[in-house]
Amino acid sequence: MSNYLPFEKPILELRQKIDELKAFTKEKDIDFSSEIDTLEAKAKHLETEIYGNLTTWQKVQIARHASRPTSVHYIQEIFQDFIELHGDRHHGDDSAIVGGIGKLNGIPVTVIAQERGKDTKDKIARNFGLPHPEGYRKALRLMQQANKFGRPIITFIDTQGAHPGIEAEERGQSEAIARNLREMAGFEVPIICVVTGEGGSGGALGIGVGNRLLMLEHAYYSVISPEGAAAILWRDASKAQEAAEALKITAQDLQKLGIVDEIISEPKGGAHRNSQLMAQTIEHTLCKHLTSLLPLGQSELVEDRYQKFSKIGQFSSAAVFEGSR
């Protein structure tokens, strides 16, 4: 039951009834196949109705699901011969960011990923996926290495944001993120970024400047969490649902705005329902986009990245003169 979210309760109740009938059939040797088929059809229809009309807040809940696959799972399933590399050569190693070298369909690549952890012990060790400056500097070191040796860069984004503690600020959190933005903009290798869960604020953007930005169907990408926005706008964090709708943070919203290049479909109910299938789908999508980027020259890749980000958003300016007032 812990695998189901509150809005999925009607589906859970139907599935429990189906399981009860199956168990009763096995124990009593009575044929309930007709009733089971009817309930299965009803459950599938209900799933289509619920998952086909998710609100923004419900998508946020799926993105934060405790059983949602983490970046380490995708690295293990998608990349061959992965070797993890550690440390920023300045302060230390940050387990909230995993980085290393592997192969994607036989092509050597550098992989950078935010990892929030699976169980309680792992989450604590990885600081719940909130990177410190040394995490971003480790990521930069590995990306600079990739740029030097001509390896494409793949990043997986899944964080509520960069660590906000005083120790992170003392070690230059904002500088580390800002430098990553500047350096990633000028790398001469293909960069593909995938938002797999939460894409929160500058913490996500610190490894998010790429030629292609992909998002899982129920992931979200935002300048601030819905709770944070609600606390600022209404001085009431309980209005997070209204803030989520206003922020336009879903993959579908961001694709309409021209920010996301492709939405990666999830298994019905979310990536946690079939994590292996989800990894296969991501791998296929990555291979497709990498194949389209590999023929581009170094300057073309930089220009492609520049054009992508220069088209995001709109602005207007107006000059006010004394005589026009």
Side-chain angles (χ1 to χ4, degrees):
M1 289 182 66
S2 61
N3 209 25
Y4 283 83
L5 294 166
F7 67 87
E8 297 176 295
K9 187 178 178 181
I11 299 172
L12 172 63
E13 291 172 348
L14 261 180
R15 289 294 175 194
Q16 287 176 331
K17 288 179 182 178
I18 291 169
D19 290 341
E20 287 172 6
L21 278 178
K22 286 180 178 178
F24 196 74
T25 297
K26 190 175 181 179
E27 290 173 9
K28 305 298 182 181
D29 196 26
I30 302 174
D31 185 14
F32 284 105
S33 57
S34 177
E35 289 83 356
I36 291 171
D37 288 343
T38 300
L39 289 177
E40 285 282 8
K42 188 175 179 181
K44 287 179 180 178
H45 175 75
L46 189 59
E47 286 173 345
T48 300
E49 184 179 344
I50 289 175
Y51 297 130
N53 298 281
L54 292 172
T55 66
T56 299
W57 183 246
Q58 288 169 342
K59 286 178 177 289
V60 170
Q61 289 178 290
I62 294 176
R64 294 173 173 175
H65 199 289
S67 299
R68 193 170 179 84
T70 66
S71 297
V72 166
H73 165 77
Y74 293 129
I75 290 172
Q76 292 171 344
E77 292 291 326
I78 295 172
F79 301 97
Q80 304 84 47
D81 304 323
F82 178 76
I83 301 172
E84 185 176 356
L85 303 174
H86 299 272
D88 68 342
R89 303 298 185 265
H90 177 69
H91 177 80
D93 189 44
D94 185 356
S95 297
I97 288 188
V98 175
I101 304 167
K103 291 181 180 178
L104 175 63
N105 197 25
I107 300 171
V109 296
T110 288
V111 185
I112 310 291
Q114 289 159 335
E115 172 61 31
R116 53 188 168 83
K118 289 296 292 180
D119 53 34
T120 302
K121 184 178 179 181
D122 193 28
K123 287 179 186 292
I124 293 171
R126 297 186 185 277
N127 198 36
F128 298 87
L130 308 178
H132 286 79
E134 51 269 27
Y136 292 106
R137 293 184 176 120
K138 172 172 69 173
L140 179 60
R141 178 176 74 83
L142 299 183
M143 290 189 287
Q144 287 171 332
Q145 181 194 77
N147 191 58
K148 178 180 179 180
F149 293 103
R151 285 193 301 269
I153 298 168
I154 311 292
T155 73
F156 290 95
I157 297 168
D158 187 12
T159 183
Q160 293 180 8
H163 183 71
I166 188 170
E167 68 276 16
E169 296 299 330
E170 288 174 342
R171 295 199 294 272
Q173 184 73 288
S174 58
E175 183 275 337
I177 293 172
R179 189 176 179 197
N180 278 23
L181 304 186
R182 184 189 68 186
E183 296 294 318
M184 290 184 78
F187 285 146
E188 297 173 329
V189 295
I191 304 176
I192 302 174
C193 308
V194 188
V195 184
T196 59
E198 295 184 87
S201 192
L205 198 57
I207 60 169
V209 180
N211 297 92
R212 299 290 182 270
L213 177 62
L214 316 176
M215 278 186 73
L216 268 61
E217 182 181 358
H218 302 313
Y220 80 85
Y221 199 24
S222 175
V223 69
I224 191 171
S225 70
E227 292 88 348
I232 293 170
L233 295 174
W234 292 289
R235 299 184 183 275
D236 183 358
S238 67
K239 292 187 178 291
Q241 295 188 39
E242 292 93 323
E245 292 291 344
L247 284 167
K248 303 297 180 187
I249 59 179
T250 68
Q252 295 73 22
D253 290 328
L254 296 172
Q255 188 178 50
K256 289 177 184 177
L257 292 170
I259 297 170
V260 171
D261 296 293
E262 183 173 347
I263 297 172
I264 304 175
S265 298
E266 298 189 26
K268 190 170 288 186
H272 56 285
R273 297 295 177 200
N274 192 333
S275 58
Q276 200 163 16
L277 174 61
M278 188 72 258
Q280 291 170 358
T281 306
I282 293 173
E283 180 179 3
H284 172 77
T285 310
L286 285 173
C287 289
K288 178 180 68 175
H289 284 280
L290 185 57
T291 299
S292 71
L293 290 171
L294 283 174
L296 299 182
Q298 294 178 342
S299 60
E300 290 176 307
L301 287 164
V302 175
E303 179 64 19
D304 175 83
R305 211 172 299 132
Y306 171 78
Q307 291 297 331
K308 172 178 174 56
F309 282 88
S310 66
K311 293 175 183 175
I312 293 175
Q314 296 178 350
F315 73 93
S316 61
S317 61
V320 179
F321 300 98
E322 290 295 331
S324 64
R325 290 181 177 175

